[in-house]
Amino acid sequence: MKKTLCTIGTWNVRTLMDNDKTKRPGRRTALVAKELARYNIDIAALCETRLPAEGQFTELGAGYTFFWSGRNIEERREAGVGFAVRSNIVKKLASLPKGVNDRIMTLRLPLKGKHYATLVSVYAPTMTNPEEAKDKFYEELESVIAAVPRVDKLVILGDFNTRVGSDQKTWQGVIGKNGIGNCNSNGLLLLRLCAEKELIITNTMFRLPARNKTSWMHPRSKHWHLIDYLIVRKKRH
């Protein structure tokens, strides 16, 4: 039986809001869609979209449909999450992506044989956010994970604004041998959730050059860090 591959990824786009004052040659969604097509991405979890409320928009020329979840239009919008999905895949979805809040959105993707994969797009609070905001985010993410049917494949991906480090001995089964740097306080929150929910941080499982592991440069230290993750549920034997 021929397998159909689906390439997924995550991208912190910083914003999908257009500004008429800029000299950008096209809509942000059009530019993002063009890049996704260039890398042959079928579904991308988008972070920091900053768009208001929930909505969708199709870039007809590029063949992607954008879905987003954000705060109300009158509120300050610093986060926002979403998905960019190839439009031919959107037609196969039993239901459209659902926003939980401005930091979590879910998409249930049909697979062969009446199986499903649940994708969760996330944008976690940064180190400078209040502890209450961080606790609230992880409580809500835990609730989302608990609601995903055990028979579904589960993929959580996005900008977690955390460093999980490389202490594989302490976090055996959660991170692999190829982590990078040290763990911070935000990283502990993610590691504890993964340990409790039997999740694996896949970025740490593959041996890659350091330049291909990291995804963000600290603006002051100029050091590169890994803060964007793709997390899956462990298989049950």
Side-chain angles (χ1 to χ4, degrees), residues 159-218:
D159 185 347
F160 283 85
N161 283 305
T162 69
R163 288 181 287 168
V164 298
S166 53
D167 187 358
Q168 192 218 6
K169 289 183 178 179
T170 301
W171 300 101
Q172 190 171 8
V174 173
I175 62 175
K177 297 179 180 179
N178 297 291
I180 189 169
N182 299 314
C183 181
N184 61 13
S185 58
N186 274 7
L188 282 175
L189 294 173
L190 178 57
L191 288 167
R192 288 167 182 160
L193 175 71
C194 290
E196 181 182 341
K197 296 298 179 182
E198 299 181 303
L199 305 173
I200 302 172
I201 301 174
T202 64
N203 310 55
T204 64
M205 299 292 170
F206 303 100
R207 187 175 180 181
L208 297 168
R211 67 179 181 275
N212 293 338
K213 289 183 182 180
T214 55
S215 56
W216 175 74
M217 185 180 71
H218 194 285

Side-chain angles (χ1 to χ4, degrees), residues 38-157:
R38 187 165 73 92
Y39 284 96
N40 200 28
I41 302 296
D42 296 306
I43 301 175
L46 306 178
C47 313
E48 215 173 334
T49 57
R50 304 194 185 196
L51 293 172
E54 283 192 55
Q56 69 180 81
F57 177 80
T58 300
E59 285 289 352
L60 295 175
Y64 285 88
T65 300
F66 290 77
F67 302 89
W68 64 86
S69 176
R71 290 184 175 180
N72 293 330
I73 194 167
E74 66 273 6
E75 294 183 272
R76 179 180 173 85
R77 301 188 300 278
E78 297 176 333
V81 288
F83 286 101
V85 186
R86 284 195 189 272
S87 297
N88 65 321
I89 294 177
V90 173
K91 298 173 185 177
K92 301 174 184 177
L93 300 179
S95 60
L96 297 180
K98 298 177 181 177
V100 177
N101 50 43
D102 64 331
R103 292 190 178 275
I104 303 173
M105 191 175 204
T106 64
L107 180 158
R108 198 158 186 245
L109 180 69
L111 307 176
K112 287 188 176 181
K114 296 184 179 180
H115 297 295
Y116 289 87
T118 295
L119 278 58
V120 185
S121 174
V122 304
Y123 178 61
T126 65
M127 286 290 291
T128 58
N129 280 115
E131 294 302 316
E132 295 80 7
K134 300 175 188 179
D135 292 340
K136 183 173 182 286
F137 168 78
Y138 280 99
E139 287 169 5
E140 290 169 336
L141 181 55
E142 185 175 355
S143 296
V144 169
I145 294 169
V148 175
R150 188 70 211 190
V151 293
D152 278 21
K153 294 184 181 297
L154 173 63
V155 183
I156 308 166
L157 65 170

Side-chain angles (χ1 to χ4, degrees), residues 218-233:
H218 194 285
R220 291 192 299 275
S221 70
K222 306 302 181 184
H223 291 162
W224 283 88
H225 300 284
L226 174 61
I227 63 172
D228 303 271
Y229 301 103
L230 192 152
I231 300 169
V232 300
R233 187 155 50 191

